[in-house]
Amino acid sequence: MLFKKIGVIGGGTMGQSIAEMLAAKGLDVLLVELSPNKLDYSIGMIETGLDKKLEKWAITQAEKKLILSRIHRANLSDLSACDLIIETITEDLEAKVKLFKQLEEIVSEDIILTSNTSTLSLTELASATNHPERVIGLHWIYPVSSIDVVEIIRGLKTSDNTFEFTKNFAEEVLEKKGVMVYESPGFVTSRLICLHINEALHLLEEGVASAEDIDQAVRIGYKFQHGPFEMADRFGLDSVHAALDSMFREFGELKYRPSTILKKMVRAGQLGVKTGEGFFKYDKDGDRI
């Protein structure tokens, strides 16, 4: 199938990154948000990110204009013209189920519905639809444009055709390595990285080392782009907490229980880059201060 137009629902950090990556690959993107103001903010943040790449000579002015020209403001009703839908709204099963039921009334039966969920059950989400065989997970890692892998998650009733179609989209169109994952809370990447972050939090609570020193030890020692604390800040501390809590409830193992300090910071509203402060402080462009 020739892919031309992709619907992206949710203009948060992941939605912005996915939309930019799709547009850079030459696809038209219909971006949907809850309100015009949120949509304007999302597109503004995409432009800010492109400007930062421009400053670093990573793209040209012409490339920036071309990418932005392919990202279109849209409503749910506009998505009937899309070749594939990517949902990346908040990690709330009820909200996702409601959205997928709305989509079934808008898009034709042969259009695949994908979810970027990192912890929720694809099987449970799909079971609430009339066509569970066309629901599949596409779990991206931020920043999407520079990470060359995507987890393709099969629910219990995901069809082979849906999987092959999605894998072709990921590998042939987007040039990402598609890793097939059978449904399990956290899948592969979130399950491993959240435990990594949680153990770093325990080290901090025990006074073994400071957040800065733990980050430097991991970042320099293992050549990670970011240490566990800055990584958590960039994911969003609320998102890390939600993922750990979901896995803790699912598996019942203490290693998944969110650390006390993580809970406190979420309650205090210090969520990382999105609020300007987490374990470290950030400017409006998301750079460390």
Side-chain angles (χ1 to χ4, degrees):
M1 179 178 178
L2 183 63
F3 295 92
K4 292 183 179 180
K5 195 171 290 185
I6 309 297
V8 176
I9 308 171
T13 302
M14 284 303 298
Q16 294 162 24
S17 192
I18 291 169
E20 179 192 327
M21 178 272 298
L22 294 170
K25 293 293 183 180
L27 298 164
D28 281 316
V29 180
L30 298 189
L31 183 60
V32 178
E33 250 295 357
L34 287 172
S35 68
N37 287 342
K38 287 191 173 184
L39 194 50
D40 287 342
Y41 175 79
S42 298
I43 292 178
M45 289 301 293
I46 292 172
E47 186 168 7
T48 297
L50 291 172
D51 284 336
K52 291 172 71 174
K53 291 182 179 180
L54 193 61
E55 290 172 4
K56 297 175 182 177
W57 300 87
I59 60 172
T60 65
Q61 185 70 38
E63 286 172 324
K64 173 195 166 182
K65 288 182 178 179
L66 193 57
I67 290 170
L68 288 174
S69 73
R70 292 181 179 134
I71 301 174
H72 312 281
R73 293 170 172 81
N75 298 309
L76 278 181
S77 58
D78 300 320
L79 302 185
S80 60
C82 291
D83 303 313
L84 183 117
I85 307 293
I86 299 173
E87 169 273 311
T88 177
I89 65 172
T90 183
E91 284 287 88
D92 180 279
L93 184 62
E94 288 186 13
K96 290 181 188 290
V97 166
K98 180 181 177 181
L99 173 62
F100 273 52
K101 286 183 176 179
Q102 288 177 293
L103 288 172
E104 284 199 310
E105 297 176 1
I106 296 168
V107 303
S108 61
E109 294 179 9
D110 60 335
I111 300 301
I112 291 174
L113 306 180
T114 77
S115 175
N116 181 54
T117 182
S118 57
T119 58
L120 299 177
S121 167
L122 261 299
T123 297
E124 190 171 359
L125 174 59
S127 69
T129 70
N130 295 323
H131 299 282
E133 71 281 354
R134 67 163 169 178
V135 177
I136 194 167
L138 272 178
H139 181 231
W140 313 86
I141 299 173
Y142 184 84
V144 176
S145 58
S146 58
I147 304 296
D148 293 327
V149 71
V150 57
E151 290 178 291
I152 305 175
I153 302 97
R154 298 187 65 148
L156 183 63
K157 293 187 177 180
T158 301
S159 70
D160 290 340
N161 284 342
T162 295
F163 172 74
E164 292 300 332
F165 184 95
T166 308
K167 184 177 174 66
N168 178 68
F169 172 69
E171 297 192 338
E172 301 301 322
V173 180
L174 304 182
E175 300 176 297
K176 306 283 186 185
K177 174 59 182 174
V179 177
M180 186 177 78
V181 179
Y182 289 104
E183 181 181 308
S184 177
F187 313 131
V188 173
T189 54
S190 293
R191 184 169 170 181
L192 291 174
I193 209 66
C194 284
L195 279 176
H196 168 68
I197 290 169
N198 211 32
E199 193 59 34
L201 287 160
H202 291 319
L203 286 173
L204 182 64
E205 286 178 338
E206 293 166 17
V208 174
S210 68
E212 179 66 39
D213 285 343
I214 292 170
D215 263 21
Q216 287 191 11
V218 173
R219 182 172 52 80
I220 298 170
Y222 292 98
K223 300 189 183 299
F224 282 24
Q225 183 178 2
H226 303 297
F229 292 101
E230 184 169 350
M231 199 181 295
D233 280 350
R234 295 189 179 280
F235 291 156
L237 300 190
D238 53 338
S239 297
V240 175
H241 178 274
L244 283 166
D245 192 54
S246 176
M247 289 187 284
F248 177 51
R249 284 185 280 108
E250 185 75 21
F251 292 115
E253 295 185 33
L254 288 177
K255 64 183 179 180
Y256 297 109
R257 185 171 66 185
S259 76
T260 302
I261 192 168
L262 179 62
K263 293 178 182 178
K264 286 181 179 178
M265 293 187 72
V266 171
R267 289 167 184 158
Q270 292 182 209
L271 307 181
V273 173
K274 67 175 78 175
T275 59
E277 183 176 5
F279 289 100
F280 307 109
K281 293 185 177 181
Y282 304 86
D283 63 22
K284 62 182 178 63
D285 295 328
D287 294 322
R288 279 273 298 272
I289 297 175

